[in-house]
Amino acid sequence: MPPPPPVPRDPSAPDGGRPAAPRTGGRRRAEDRPPGASGGHRLPGGEPARHRARHAPAPRRPAPVEDRPGPAPARGAAADPADGAETGPIPHPGHPGGWGDCPGQADLGTTPGPAAPPAPGRGHAQGHAQGHAQGHGHGHGHGAASPAGRRVRRLLVALLVPCVLATLAGVALLWPGATPVPEIPPTQQVHGTVTAVQVADCSPGGGDRRCTGVTVALSDGPRAGRDLVQLVPNEPSTPRFAVGDPVTLSWSGANPDDAGSYQLVDFQRGAPLGWLAAAFALAVVVLGRLRGFAALVSLALSFVILLWFVLPAILSGGSPLAVAVTGACLIMFVVLYLTHGFTARTSCAVLGTLASLALIGVLGYLFTVTSRLTGLDDTTATLIGTLGPGVPIDPRGLVLAGLVIGALGALDDVTVTQASAVWELGAANPELGVRELFAAGMRIGRDHVASAVNTLVLAYAGAALPLLLLFTVAAGGVTQVLTSQDVATEIVRTLVGSIGLVAAVPVTTGLAALVVGRR
């Protein structure tokens, strides 16, 4: 068909009489829309109503209109601000056809006219909220948590409350009674400073010169302010003393003027340990600030629980495994919530730690019984001999109690790290769903658990290093060494604790992904 005739120019027109080019695609002006079409959703001041991605149920932000190929949508899209024309609705995944499809909004754009200018100091977010309040009869998820998120949090509370009540009931039932009196009375510790060291005979007039005479000026005890000479044999297992060393002696309670009533046992280490503790506390507070201070308070409370509940309850005849599990749960609740706050993230870490502790307790009991571990090492035998037959102590239960309490610190590290990792992933990319969060968290957890297991093995190996050296030089093959009582006990502790660490990763990651993905 022939082209349309040219439109004559009107020089008096503001645009010089240039004809307006027809708009063939993309956005359409208000005057190009057919009569009766919706004018779309406008903000005060004529700003285009670009609905944010968080308002839509779909996880992906819709692409801008100008980036979309193809013809213009049925309802007018937002006009270019440079055109100064009326804006139209933006198609949205939650609102087919644009804002005009919202209930009560179909006739909002049929009233032409300029919009009121925005109030001074108000940005796009405030104008957007005002537009919602004026034009919408329904909400789009502003601020409040979704019902699914509230349901997940109710589920966390429903799981945690019985655990807290069970822990408190266990503390009440296992609370220690009167502290037993050992049959062998304890020795009194006195302190002093070495003032002289010289080679001496082990027996008067013997001439062997195999001992060292150590002169100590006592600072407390019944002989305070006076000197005392102690003979120490020159053997590889005997420490070497020098002038100025602060030392500790044990006094049996016999004649205080008799040198035989005293025994030089150790050095005083209070001052250097105090300075080291102060440096540690300073480093934690400087780096962690308020949370670091809370961690120090939690550490102090952990020692309080151990010294005032766990140890006295075991000495009072309570089951070591039951006391250890109860005490570990109490420490976990106090430490984690005090350090990290009463949040859903902390609750996920707590539940993961509880599940792993339960698994460690079951596996530890199973393999100590099947491996016939008695727990009667030198330290336990000395404890039983000191307490006497009137205080029953379960040596195997002590092994299990040490296993549970020893694994608690590593479990806290793994579960808190996994929960925090999932939370940070969700904050960095809110579009990730439960499966994506779980998969990403597990990739982090695999690296974490590999290093954590290695840390646990090396920690146990370092603690038992003299024992390992002893069995290395002793007669017998590798199998005999590994299956001996002391080494087998450390192997069970290491492997059972490592299984608990491995199980803590998927449990904690799954709980955290469920909460973050549905909040």
Side-chain angles (χ1 to χ4, degrees), residues 343-372:
T343 62
R345 175 172 58 183
T346 307
S347 298
C348 292
V350 168
L351 288 173
T353 305
L354 281 173
S356 301
L357 281 178
L359 179 63
I360 288 174
V362 172
L363 292 179
Y365 179 80
L366 176 64
F367 282 97
T368 52
V369 171
T370 56
S371 301
R372 295 178 175 84

Side-chain angles (χ1 to χ4, degrees), residues 26 68 261 413 491:
R68 299 177 185 168
S261 302
D413 178 25
I491 290 176

Side-chain angles (χ1 to χ4, degrees), residues 147-175:
R150 289 193 293 269
R151 286 197 297 269
V152 170
R153 283 161 175 78
R154 291 194 189 101
L155 177 61
L156 291 177
V157 173
L159 292 174
L160 283 171
V161 168
C163 297
V164 173
L165 295 178
T167 301
L168 295 178
V171 171
L173 292 175
L174 297 172
W175 189 257

